[in-house]
Amino acid sequence: GDAGIYIGNSPNADFRIRYNTAFADLWGILVRDASIGDVTDNVLHDSCSGLVFLNSGTSTGVHNWRASHNIVAHNDKFCSAEEAELPFSLTGVGILIGGGDHIVLRDNMVFTNQPGGEPSLINDVPLAGGIVVVSTANVSVFPGFYGGLAEHNLIVNNAVLDNQPFDLVYDGQGSGNHFVSNNCETSLPSGLCR
């Protein structure tokens, strides 16, 4: 399947996604090129990816979202790039901010998201792990369109444990991204778990 829940191409979405369960999907919840909203109190498990904020460059980006009190666990299915018709494979992704800005991830529980196959690399970091923050400026999901930098995102007070290859993954591109007071054990680069 595609997404359990999907919102896209909505520059002024002002949307709330709350009290849902999604599983056995390519994306549990996909927020693509949509802005302004809340993703709260959802359970996302056993998919290729749990919660994804994706800037594919077809609109004004993905920004001004808050995700809190979600349980994102055991998203270890493998969806190859070919089968998903994407420029990357999806597997073992808990929460992904791909080229998003001004997104707050707070008080989420992100556990045991582990790749079920070889994860793709984006900007030399694995597209897999508990919480992944990467730029999509060099990623073309749709021909002729490219995403943007991940900037001014706040990842705070999340429990992010037993994820592979890391609990937190950040490609270091973009500015103003902050990882604060997350309960986690492993990160790329090291030092994000404090």
Side-chain angles (χ1 to χ4, degrees), residues 15-177:
F15 199 74
R16 303 214 174 357
I17 303 170
R18 192 165 192 193
Y19 301 133
N20 299 283
T21 298
F23 60 93
D25 300 304
L26 173 62
W27 331 79
I29 295 175
L30 173 60
V31 178
R32 183 186 60 78
D33 303 315
S35 300
I36 310 167
D38 293 289
V39 182
T40 310
D41 296 305
N42 299 284
V43 178
L44 311 173
H45 65 93
D46 294 288
S47 294
C48 298
S49 59
L51 170 58
V52 175
F53 297 95
L54 181 62
N55 175 358
S56 72
T58 63
S59 182
T60 58
V62 59
H63 56 85
N64 295 95
W65 286 88
R66 180 186 353 245
S68 60
H69 303 285
N70 298 288
I71 298 171
V72 185
H74 209 253
N75 292 289
D76 58 1
K77 285 181 55 185
F78 181 78
C79 296
S80 70
E82 295 76 26
E83 115 186 66
E85 298 179 355
L86 292 168
F88 47 79
S89 296
L90 278 175
T91 185
V93 177
I95 301 176
L96 168 65
I97 298 176
D101 65 274
H102 295 91
I103 295 170
V104 177
L105 306 179
R106 180 188 300 271
D107 298 320
N108 297 286
M109 294 190 297
V110 186
F111 299 132
T112 61
N113 298 283
Q114 302 175 355
E118 187 67 29
S120 294
L121 295 178
I122 291 186
N123 307 320
D124 298 320
V125 300
L127 187 61
I131 296 176
V132 180
V133 179
V134 295
S135 163
T136 57
N138 297 315
V139 176
S140 178
V141 174
F142 302 104
F145 294 93
Y146 291 85
L149 295 174
E151 296 190 301
H152 306 291
N153 298 296
L154 176 61
I155 294 85
V156 60
N157 291 340
N158 299 284
V160 192
L161 296 166
D162 298 320
N163 301 283
Q164 294 292 333
F166 302 95
D167 291 324
L168 300 178
V169 176
Y170 174 41
D171 67 0
Q173 299 190 18
S175 61
N177 295 302

